[in-house]
Amino acid sequence: MSGWSHRHVLDLASFSREDFAAVLDLAQQFRSLPITGARKLPALQGRLVATLFFEPSTRTRSSFELAAKRLSADVMSFSPSSSSLSKGESVLDTARTYVAMGADVLVVRHRSTGVPQQLALDLQQMGERTVVLNGGDGLHSHPSQGLLDLLTLTRFFSPQHPMPEALQGRRIVIVGDILHSRVARSNLWALTACGADVVLCGPPSLVPEDFAAFVDAPPPGLLKDPVPQRGKISVVRRLEHALPGADAVMTLRLQKERMGQQLLTSLKRYHRDFGLSHERMQLCGEDVPVLHPGPVNRGIELSGSLLDDPRVSLVEEQVRNGVPTRMALLYLMAASESATEASLVSSSS
Ligand code: ASP
């Protein structure tokens, strides 16, 4: 854990392979502990975690709150509908209110790209020690989802040793609305960092050709990619060509609320061309797993019977893995903060 250098967790583009391994290792340990309502770990005792979700959420928010409680943190949550946002308060002033109440961690979700990053910067410039964890910003990034997907896949391929190398050389197909998906973007950084080759499949309006070069340049804000060698990304238009040879298939919701205009001629046609079903999945071979970050539009991205089939559907497993993954993130952030505090104390004494 000594190599962990992320004060805030805002994206996965700046993660090295060692960072991914650190999260997977801890998450795996947390997953195997018999932690329930009454049995908690003391790691975050006395710390305050605030979830500021300016956009709706079912899984991410409750999963972060449960993770924080299982580490004995106090938890506060903010809801835009019953807050002073409607009275014109800015996001920064809302965040400062929680900081003034002593929040150590802010988990922030916002419909606009860059809001958690800006908040982290503003708070840092104000001399605040509060750390920011991105709970999903616009189309940009959803780091905790990318990490829980990584845990789900590495556990599937290597249950005893779910580490990044379990993905080396695997072919992972991501189908659907890549353009509007922060989940896809986080997965692209995470999967290629672990050596997987990613095939993106969908119509040109949802999967622009230039996604093939998504990880080719150093991540924004960095001079050098922290991962020396990544897997490759390719764009394939037809599902029939993308699925053969796949080791896992992830499908994404059609994110209509993020589309500026009508991008599909019909949902029926989309389902016909890109919807997953048992029949379609036979193109991959036996029992290839299916993932979906949720919320799912049953019968559009995938058939209800595929979604509910425990032999191949990892959708509930993804939700289950969300809690230990977020515990790992909170733990690492708290640990690095304590290390900073300790070094500040020792350097000033
Ligand atoms: N829950 C994920 C997100 O917040 C995926 C989705 O909304 O489709 O991006």
Side-chain angles (χ1 to χ4, degrees), residues 8 36-37 44 58 81 86 88 103 113 120 126-127 130 144 154 162 196 233 247 286 297 302 345:
H8 309 281
T36 55
L44 263 64
T58 305
S81 55
S86 53
T113 290
M126 285 157 49
T130 310
S144 63
T154 51
I233 301 174
D247 291 297
E286 274 302 292
N297 294 306
L302 74 174
V345 172

Side-chain angles (χ1 to χ4, degrees), residues 109 142 182-183 253 255 257-258 293-295:
R109 167 172 289 192
H142 194 343
R182 53 196 178 206
V183 174
R253 184 173 67 89
Q255 296 138 95
E257 78 284 8
R258 297 177 197 154

